[in-house]
Amino acid sequence: MDWALLRELQADARLSYSELSRRVHLSPPAVAERVRRLEEAGVVTGYHAHVDLTKAGRHVVAIIRMACYGARCVLRDPEVAAWPEVLEIHRVTGDACCVLKVATGAMEDFEKIIDRLAPYGQPSSTMVLSSPLNWRPVNPTP
């Protein structure tokens, strides 16, 4: 039942408990309780709108691998996560310590991000040309 709720919430997080209950065949109070438990357990961490980056004026999207180790690492500076161009930061294995997904309005703005990251280590970027799979709901594994 939790997966049925998660499937519906991921498709449309704005559903009312009444509509959600109709779709999963539970009473509204039962749905509300199950959703509350999923939130408290940290399974549901928030409700978000999906934004088309291009239509929002962010025409340059890139993945930046950072080779930075030690005290001046990107992962140790919470200010980097607050930069509006930084959409995601992932700690990774291999020869880089982290990978950032960034989106800027123009190439000159992207260059500024690279310049701002340079003091932390060596940035290596890959431009995103298109995203055939931009987002996918989480489903149970077989």
Side-chain angles (χ1 to χ4, degrees):
M1 184 52 61
D2 287 345
W3 278 110
L5 287 168
L6 290 171
R7 181 179 58 252
E8 294 297 334
L9 286 172
Q10 289 179 96
D12 184 358
R14 297 178 61 177
L15 290 174
S16 66
Y17 287 141
S18 176
E19 177 60 20
L20 195 51
S21 69
R22 188 186 68 71
R23 292 184 184 195
V24 298
H25 310 292
L26 283 178
S27 70
V31 164
E33 177 60 24
R34 281 183 173 264
V35 170
R36 184 189 60 76
R37 281 189 287 173
L38 288 167
E39 291 169 344
E40 287 177 353
V43 176
V44 174
T45 59
Y47 299 89
H48 312 279
H50 292 276
V51 176
D52 183 309
L53 291 171
T54 301
K55 290 179 181 175
R58 304 280 184 97
H59 303 283
V60 178
V61 179
I63 306 299
I64 303 172
R65 294 170 39 92
M66 287 298 299
C68 54
Y69 301 97
R72 191 73 176 126
C73 180
V74 166
L75 297 173
R76 290 190 169 87
D77 188 346
E79 288 186 26
V80 175
W83 296 355
E85 303 86 358
V86 176
L87 303 179
E88 299 173 17
I89 300 175
H90 303 276
R91 184 177 180 193
V92 298
T93 61
D95 59 350
C97 69
C98 62
V99 174
L100 294 79
K101 179 179 178 182
V102 301
T104 64
M107 189 57 71
E108 62 191 24
D109 300 321
F110 176 71
E111 287 183 56
K112 290 175 186 173
I113 289 293
I114 293 297
D115 292 343
R116 287 174 72 189
L117 287 169
Y120 293 95
Q122 184 173 6
S124 173
S125 61
T126 301
M127 304 309 294
V128 174
L129 299 176
S130 66
S131 299
L133 178 60
N134 194 35
W135 179 84
R136 171 184 287 178
V138 177
N139 292 304
T141 54

